[in-house]
Amino acid sequence: MDQTADAPIREDAAFEDELHAALTDETLHLIILPTEQCNFRCTYCYEDFSVGRMGPETVQGVKRLLDCRMDDLRRLNVSWFGGEPLLGRSVVEDISSHVVESLHRRPGLSFQGDMTTNGYLLDVPTAERLAELAITSYQISLDGPQAVHDTTRVRADGKSSFRRIWGNLLSLRNSSLPLRVLLRIHLTPGNAPFMAGFLAEVRDTFLDDPRFSVGLKPIERLGGANDASMEILPSSARREIQAELEAVLSASPAFRSSGPEACYAARANSLVIRATGDVGKCTVALTDPSNTIGRLMPDGSLRIDNERLGPWLRGWTSRDWSAVSCPYADMPRPSRLLQIAPGRPR
């Protein structure tokens, strides 16, 4: 059979699968920012840390939104983001406790709780408590061996972070917790020469444990204060560099090399709930006005601006993989607010 001739058919089928997953009302994905403060000041970060902890009215709104929606759902995913979400741990625990109590009354509802964290505060007692709240999946970033990592993933007080994160990872590996950890390894011109040795150490230390996996990610200029001076891997060299590094990991089933897929921001059933109560689509474009598509009210209702929402979903009607893979790229723009019935994001 001609594999090349079948490629368009497979791509069409994949697109249809992604389209259904993105538009179904039976799925809801909330990306919640319990605080937008952070204990790190990574040199490539795009956030401005101008917003603090989520207030009681927004916490109440999240709970009531979930109450309105959960009876109609087959799948619920709550992702915790920041800032550093563990600086808002009380908010995480409050909302997650509400979710767990609600799940007891809905045994047929599939739930996933996950967190993007820098890992500095994720010791075993914290992970044990979060597991009780059904948060068992983590993404943690590393920038290479200690001497390199500590020049880019710097704490807010200017001190190093690697040893604490690595120690936490070893403790999690040595625990029996039911968790999954994706180690997101950042690639830059500065760390590339050290990465083969570091990835071999990561492979030998963690990847015999099926709970751990690795993904490689080149750093990008995403609007941060240091963009003008920040070096990134040139597009002409990325494929070769990544291929060489992937070869270090490729023998391990825990290495992730993904094909095209829809970004969460292109999914109609995925929403970002900021600490302010503003509703967005993308965790990268936090300060871009086009990313604010509405507001979560204390009663759980959503006021959504359909004109602002439309550009995020444009790739589905045009069947454009690039717009679906990253709707923020080449974003058209702007608005009016429309009242939507409680709990029905569209």
Side-chain angles (χ1 to χ4, degrees):
M1 181 177 292
D2 186 343
Q3 297 290 327
T4 304
D6 285 345
I9 298 174
R10 291 196 302 272
E11 185 170 318
D12 284 346
F15 192 92
E16 291 299 326
D17 289 343
E18 292 280 6
L19 174 62
H20 179 265
L23 302 183
T24 177
D25 282 339
E26 294 182 335
T27 295
L28 178 62
H29 179 204
L30 295 183
I31 303 171
I32 304 175
L33 281 63
T35 179
E36 299 187 31
Q37 295 299 303
C38 190
N39 52 344
F40 280 23
R41 290 296 183 270
C42 300
T43 57
Y44 43 77
C45 187
Y46 54 85
E47 297 193 42
D48 62 12
F49 315 112
S50 61
V51 176
R53 184 182 296 250
M54 182 176 284
E57 285 195 348
T58 303
V59 171
Q60 175 181 285
V62 172
K63 292 179 182 179
R64 291 188 174 178
L65 169 62
L66 289 167
D67 290 341
C68 291
R69 287 299 319 275
M70 288 177 79
D71 283 339
D72 299 325
L73 296 175
R74 295 179 62 186
R75 290 172 295 278
L76 172 64
N77 178 198
V78 175
S79 299
W80 296 98
F81 196 77
E84 168 50 47
L86 288 177
L87 291 181
R89 180 172 165 178
S90 62
V91 175
V92 174
E93 293 196 13
D94 188 359
I95 293 174
S96 297
S97 295
H98 185 82
V99 171
V100 169
E101 292 171 8
S102 299
L103 290 172
H104 289 322
R105 300 190 296 273
R106 299 169 176 87
L109 176 58
S110 172
F111 176 74
Q112 177 182 329
D114 60 78
M115 179 178 288
T116 298
T117 171
N118 58 40
Y120 194 81
L121 299 174
L122 189 63
D123 54 19
V124 168
T126 299
E128 288 174 339
R129 174 56 181 152
L130 294 177
E132 293 172 356
L133 298 172
I135 301 169
T136 56
S137 182
Y138 300 94
Q139 176 176 287
I140 299 172
S141 295
L142 296 169
D143 283 7
Q146 180 176 353
V148 179
H149 172 103
D150 283 341
T151 65
T152 51
R153 294 190 71 77
V154 184
R155 284 162 40 188
D157 60 8
K159 296 181 180 179
S160 61
S161 64
F162 182 88
R163 291 185 64 182
R164 174 80 169 264
I165 299 168
W166 191 263
N168 284 343
L169 290 170
L170 291 174
S171 297
L172 293 173
R173 182 202 63 184
N174 294 335
S175 77
S176 58
L177 284 168
L179 51 78
R180 291 180 297 140
V181 178
L182 170 61
L183 299 173
R184 175 164 145 154
I185 310 296
H186 288 146
L187 304 178
T188 70
N191 70 22
F194 306 95
M195 272 300 175
F198 178 66
L199 290 174
E201 182 179 8
V202 168
R203 178 196 65 207
D204 296 343
T205 304
F206 295 108
L207 298 191
D208 282 342
D209 187 327
R211 297 174 299 171
F212 286 79
S213 61
V214 167
L216 304 181
K217 175 64 176 172
I219 288 297
E220 306 283 4
R221 297 187 182 98
L222 298 173
N226 297 323
D227 272 11
S229 60
M230 188 172 75
E231 292 188 354
I232 62 174
L233 290 175
S235 55
S236 59
R238 287 189 183 193
R239 182 172 298 179
E240 181 179 352
I241 292 171
Q242 286 192 249
E244 291 175 357
L245 296 176
E246 287 169 2
V248 178
L249 298 165
S250 60
S252 169
F255 168 61
R256 294 187 178 185
S257 182
S258 59
E261 60 180 353
C263 174
Y264 63 87
R267 298 177 182 270
N269 48 28
S270 178
L271 298 171
V272 176
I273 309 296
R274 296 190 62 179
T276 57
D278 287 337
V279 178
K281 292 294 290 173
C282 176
T283 57
V284 172
L286 291 177
T287 59
D288 190 322
S290 69
N291 191 38
T292 302
I293 64 163
R295 185 157 183 86
L296 173 67
M297 308 308 290
D299 66 356
S301 62
L302 292 165
R303 297 180 66 201
I304 299 295
D305 182 335
N306 284 341
E307 290 184 23
R308 288 180 178 264
L309 173 61
W312 294 96
L313 310 182
R314 69 190 187 280
W316 300 114
T317 53
S318 61
R319 302 188 68 85
D320 180 355
W321 265 118
S322 62
V324 166
S325 299
C326 183
Y328 188 52
D330 302 318
M331 171 67 70
R333 307 280 169 185
S335 287
R336 140 191 122 257
L337 284 180
L338 174 68
Q339 181 70 42
I340 288 187
R344 285 288 182 182
R346 299 189 189 279

